[in-house]
Amino acid sequence: MLIRISLIVAIIAGLAVGGLNFVMVKEKITTLQANLAEQTAGRQKAESELARTTKELKTTTAELKTTKQTLEETTAEKEKALTELAAQTKRGDKLTEDLAKTRKERDDAQAELAAYVATDLKPEQIISIKNQFKSLNDALAGSQEENKLLGQKIVKLQTELAVYKTPDYQVPLPASLRGKVLVADPKWNFVVLDVGQDQGVLEYGELLVNRNGKLVAKIKVRTVRKDSSIANVLPGWELGSVMEGDQVIPAFPAS
């Protein structure tokens, strides 16, 4: 009987413990289900926010791309406008310059017309006067050339007379005279210079020959042409000392 009672008590105790465990497990299950529901809700909320954020990001990216493209187009249009503005400004400056030039030409033409009207001359009279003026200018130029040649002849004669009277006469040459040796012939003891009558060279005039600033010879002019002259190397200097390209200056420059 005691065993039966003990067994019953044990069964009741087991049932009580099982019931207690069931209640505790049920509570844990309920808690887990609540946590799972909360986590599920949080995950769904996070996924919803992520989807919304992704959508907003795509929208923002598209807007940014559009803005960038618009900015590039605007920049290109701005550069094009600046280029056109520069071209327009340049054309405007050219037009302003042409206008000023045209106005000046107009004013000059008006002044010439006023001067023409003031002369009270007919066109054929003006043409005749112009032709006469040209003829006079041509005659004057010819006279000046003749006077120049005459002056050169006078100077030449005066020099020859001075040398005749005084064999040691030192013929003065223009102080600014500068020439160069074109030909040097040591065999026949003469040199050809690139200066002549037009540059003021005179017969019997003496010149110093230098090379790189160093005196190499002294020469005397024997023959003078329009733009050249022939001279001999004076005694005391080596015949072969003069070379083509050497520079010459007056030995006795005129004061």
Side-chain angles (χ1 to χ4, degrees):
M1 186 67 178
L2 182 59
I3 295 172
R4 195 177 284 179
I5 294 170
S6 298
L7 182 60
I8 293 170
V9 170
I11 292 171
I12 293 171
L15 290 173
V17 170
L20 180 61
N21 287 336
F22 175 78
V23 172
M24 292 179 63
V25 169
K26 183 179 179 181
E27 289 178 355
K28 289 183 177 180
I29 291 173
T30 302
T31 301
L32 289 174
Q33 288 177 341
N35 291 337
L36 179 59
E38 184 179 352
Q39 290 178 0
T40 301
R43 180 176 60 80
Q44 291 176 347
K45 181 179 179 181
E47 289 177 350
S48 176
E49 291 179 352
L50 176 60
R52 186 175 68 255
T53 303
T54 302
K55 183 178 180 181
E56 291 177 352
L57 179 60
K58 288 182 179 179
T59 302
T60 303
T61 302
E63 292 177 351
L64 179 61
K65 184 178 180 180
T66 302
T67 302
K68 182 179 179 182
Q69 183 177 357
T70 303
L71 178 60
E72 291 176 351
E73 292 175 353
T74 303
T75 302
E77 290 177 357
K78 174 187 174 184
E79 292 178 352
K80 181 180 179 182
L82 289 174
T83 302
E84 291 178 354
L85 176 61
Q88 291 289 351
T89 302
K90 185 176 180 180
R91 283 195 291 269
D93 293 341
K94 182 67 170 57
L95 288 174
T96 301
E97 182 181 350
D98 291 344
L99 178 60
K101 182 178 179 181
T102 302
R103 286 177 175 173
K104 184 177 183 304
E105 291 175 350
R106 180 203 62 190
D107 294 341
D108 292 343
Q110 289 177 344
E112 290 178 359
L113 179 60
Y116 165 73
V117 173
T119 60
D120 199 23
L121 295 173
K122 295 180 179 180
E124 56 271 16
Q125 291 176 314
I126 294 177
I127 294 174
S128 176
I129 292 173
K130 180 180 178 181
N131 292 335
Q132 292 176 11
F133 182 73
K134 184 178 183 303
S135 299
L136 290 174
N137 272 339
D138 292 341
L140 178 60
S143 298
Q144 290 175 341
E145 184 64 24
E146 290 178 1
N147 289 338
K148 178 182 177 182
L149 294 175
L150 182 59
Q152 290 175 345
K153 289 180 180 180
I154 291 173
V155 172
K156 179 181 179 182
L157 291 174
Q158 289 175 341
T159 302
E160 290 176 351
L161 181 61
V163 171
Y164 175 77
K165 289 182 177 180
T166 309
D168 295 332
Y169 177 71
Q170 298 173 345
V171 178
L173 297 176
S176 60
L177 178 64
R178 296 291 183 274
K180 183 172 65 176
V181 175
L182 296 177
V183 178
D185 190 334
K187 180 179 179 181
W188 299 103
N189 186 30
F190 75 87
V191 297
V192 179
L193 307 177
D194 66 347
V195 287
Q197 189 176 36
D198 285 352
Q199 289 75 39
V201 179
L202 297 172
E203 290 183 3
Y204 311 109
E206 296 182 8
L207 298 138
L208 302 177
V209 183
N210 67 86
R211 185 182 311 126
N212 299 325
K214 181 180 179 181
L215 181 65
V216 296
K218 191 174 184 180
I219 58 177
K220 178 176 284 190
V221 179
R222 296 302 181 186
T223 304
V224 180
R225 297 190 179 95
K226 180 177 176 60
D227 291 310
S228 63
S229 53
I230 300 174
N232 296 125
V233 178
L234 292 175
W237 297 92
E238 294 183 11
L239 300 181
S241 60
V242 181
M243 298 173 56
E244 295 178 6
D246 287 346
Q247 305 296 314
V248 297
I249 60 175
F252 305 103
S255 56

